[in-house]
Amino acid sequence: MINYTHVMKARTHGADAGTRTDDAPLTGYGPDTSAMASTDMASLDDVPEPEDFCIAPEGAAPEVGPDQVDEFIEAWRLERPDLDLGTLGALGCFARMKWLTKNLAAMAEQVMRRHGLNAGEFDVLAALRRSGPRCTLIPSQLSALLMMSRAGMTNRLDRLEAAGLVERALDPADRRSFRVRLTDKGRAVIDAAVTEHAQLVNRLDAVLSPDQRASLDEALRALLRAFP
């Protein structure tokens, strides 16, 4: 199952550079105590984002004829005939990967909104749900799994606990720490959200043959292993 926050936009801040900070809730479970609300963090939102190396259209591609990526590649071919055709073809593949990822992220966000969650809250509930029959972890484990700061995790847990989706109790093995577990309500919410998203993914996957799916998976693995 997709870790949604990893395909959504993430920012870093403060002493925990390299880890993700908390993201603003979508459903208003309570006051947002996140560092994202700070003046310093707000100033980052005013900084324009860098231009992407290739376009990422929205929605479905046309069933017949060229799509936006074809037009993008053709424009570069005309203006830069010195560029290798193979390289331009690869650029088209990467642009379509971005297009697909953008659509998947939009689908995921819609599912989460329908179940009263944002991406960060979903990730916490999903991590607890797949952790085993007790659906219980300690905050440091959650922080490590989701690659985020302890402060950001505390903010998420505060909101989820206020919404009745998780509960915290002292760890009998270490009275300085807490255990976080899904409530019955939290389990029902995350199960419903995961089931709905799985149905959407299955609908998309149905357009691929088993051989196409296997080839796509193998190609993506090879590309990911090419990064330093």
Side-chain angles (χ1 to χ4, degrees), residues 30-223:
D32 185 12
T33 58
S34 167
M36 290 289 286
S38 71
T39 302
D40 289 343
M41 201 60 198
S43 65
L44 290 179
D45 294 329
D46 298 328
V47 178
E49 298 209 7
E51 292 296 326
D52 290 330
F53 74 97
C54 63
I55 61 171
E58 295 181 349
E63 293 188 10
V64 295
D67 58 27
Q68 294 98 314
V69 174
D70 293 319
E71 295 168 358
F72 165 75
I73 295 301
E74 178 62 13
W76 275 117
R77 188 189 67 79
L78 293 173
E79 295 301 322
R80 289 291 307 274
D82 58 303
L83 293 177
D84 181 72
L85 290 178
T87 300
L88 288 176
L91 184 61
C93 289
F94 296 147
R96 286 189 174 87
M97 281 191 275
K98 286 190 62 179
W99 189 354
L100 177 63
T101 299
K102 189 174 184 179
N103 283 339
L104 287 172
M107 285 172 46
E109 184 176 4
Q110 291 170 5
V111 170
M112 290 182 289
R113 283 180 180 272
R114 283 194 288 272
H115 293 275
L117 302 170
N118 67 25
E121 293 159 352
F122 178 96
D123 279 351
V124 173
L125 297 183
L128 289 169
R129 181 65 178 90
R130 64 176 181 264
S131 66
R134 296 186 178 183
C135 300
T136 301
L137 292 169
I138 61 176
S140 61
Q141 291 174 316
L142 283 168
S143 296
L145 284 170
L146 303 183
M147 297 181 291
M148 65 179 299
S149 69
R150 300 285 183 90
M153 179 56 65
T154 297
N155 289 331
R156 288 187 189 179
L157 293 176
D158 286 346
R159 292 200 304 270
L160 291 168
E161 188 171 40
L165 302 179
V166 304
E167 62 182 15
R168 286 176 282 196
L170 284 174
D171 186 347
D174 183 357
R175 304 291 289 182
R176 299 168 299 175
S177 182
F178 290 88
R179 287 186 177 179
V180 183
R181 79 168 188 89
L182 281 178
T183 62
D184 290 343
K185 178 182 177 182
R187 181 166 178 154
V189 167
I190 191 60
D191 279 352
V194 169
T195 296
E196 182 179 349
H197 188 263
Q199 291 168 346
L200 293 173
V201 171
N202 286 339
R203 191 189 312 164
L204 286 175
D205 183 61
V207 307
L208 298 176
S209 69
D211 287 344
Q212 286 176 319
R213 189 184 311 112
S215 295
L216 176 62
D217 184 64
E218 183 179 353
L220 292 173
R221 287 177 185 271
L223 286 170

